Amino acid sequence: MQQLDTKLTLSIFWRQGLALLLGIIIWCVANPALAVSWTHPLSFSNAELSRRDFSGDSLQAAEFSNANMELANFSKADLRGAVMSASVMTKANLHGADLTNAMVDQVNLTKADLSDAVFKEALLLRAIFDDVNIDGADFTDAILDRVQIKELCQKASGVNSKTGVQTRDSLGCQ
């Protein structure tokens, strides 16, 4: 009788173990999409990216902190949520780029082309806008210093081709 109980117990143990193993295998095989659907954002922190061509690229949530992007081409690039803090972007081409929710604080944008770019809800505090082209740029709900707004309003003109918003209106110019 005891031998029968032992065989029955071993049989139940093996069945439960096999069921658990099968469950693990099925779960691992059935969920590879979970690992594929999320990727780490691109990081170009502290990088030398001068004259680099990113035109038309999808760079959502990419990080460009402390990077040198002088003369870089970001025309029509998707930079939504990108971080470009404390970087150099002198003479960069951002024509038609989407920087919605981007962090562009403490960035030197001297002589950059920001025409037709979208800066909706972007953080632009302490960015340098000397001699920039902002024709048709949309700054709706962007965070700027009063001094920056005053400076940008002096050269603001045009309508953004994607959002239909006038540059002067998006800056709150009077």
Side-chain angles (χ1 to χ4, degrees):
M1 181 79 166
Q2 186 177 5
Q3 197 175 22
L4 187 60
D5 285 342
T6 305
K7 284 184 180 181
L8 187 61
T9 303
L10 280 174
S11 176
I12 292 172
F13 173 77
W14 282 109
R15 284 184 195 168
Q16 288 177 343
L18 185 59
L20 177 64
L21 182 62
L22 231 109
I24 291 171
I25 291 170
I26 290 171
W27 184 80
C28 289
V29 171
N31 289 322
L34 292 176
V36 176
S37 66
W38 188 85
T39 57
H40 294 283
L42 295 173
S43 179
F44 298 97
S45 291
N46 303 305
E48 175 57 52
L49 302 170
S50 59
R51 301 181 189 276
R52 181 99 177 249
D53 186 9
F54 292 101
S55 58
D57 287 356
S58 178
L59 299 163
Q60 289 182 28
E63 186 177 352
F64 296 91
S65 298
N66 300 305
N68 180 13
M69 298 177 278
E70 184 175 17
L71 292 164
N73 184 3
F74 288 96
S75 62
K76 300 189 191 275
D78 184 355
L79 292 159
R80 291 176 291 166
V83 176
M84 298 175 159
S85 298
S87 294
V88 175
M89 296 187 77
T90 54
K91 300 178 186 174
N93 181 0
L94 291 156
H95 173 79
D98 189 348
L99 290 108
T100 300
N101 294 313
M103 186 176 286
V104 192
D105 61 311
Q106 303 177 53
V107 175
N108 185 348
L109 292 161
T110 300
K111 296 185 180 181
D113 181 3
L114 309 179
S115 61
D116 212 35
V118 178
F119 290 97
K120 290 175 86 173
E121 300 177 359
L123 178 65
L124 298 159
L125 294 174
R126 294 190 286 172
I128 300 169
F129 292 104
D130 293 341
D131 201 22
V132 294
N133 176 3
I134 61 166
D135 292 340
D138 183 351
F139 293 93
T140 302
D141 297 324
I143 300 172
L144 294 147
D145 295 327
R146 288 182 192 177
V147 174
Q148 290 172 309
I149 293 170
K150 185 177 178 182
E151 177 187 344
L152 292 172
C153 282
Q154 292 174 357
K155 59 183 107 196
S157 66
V159 176
N160 188 278
S161 67
K162 288 181 224 107
T163 64
V165 175
Q166 291 186 8
T167 301
R168 293 188 61 77
D169 291 344
S170 70
L171 286 166
C173 301
Q174 298 179 5

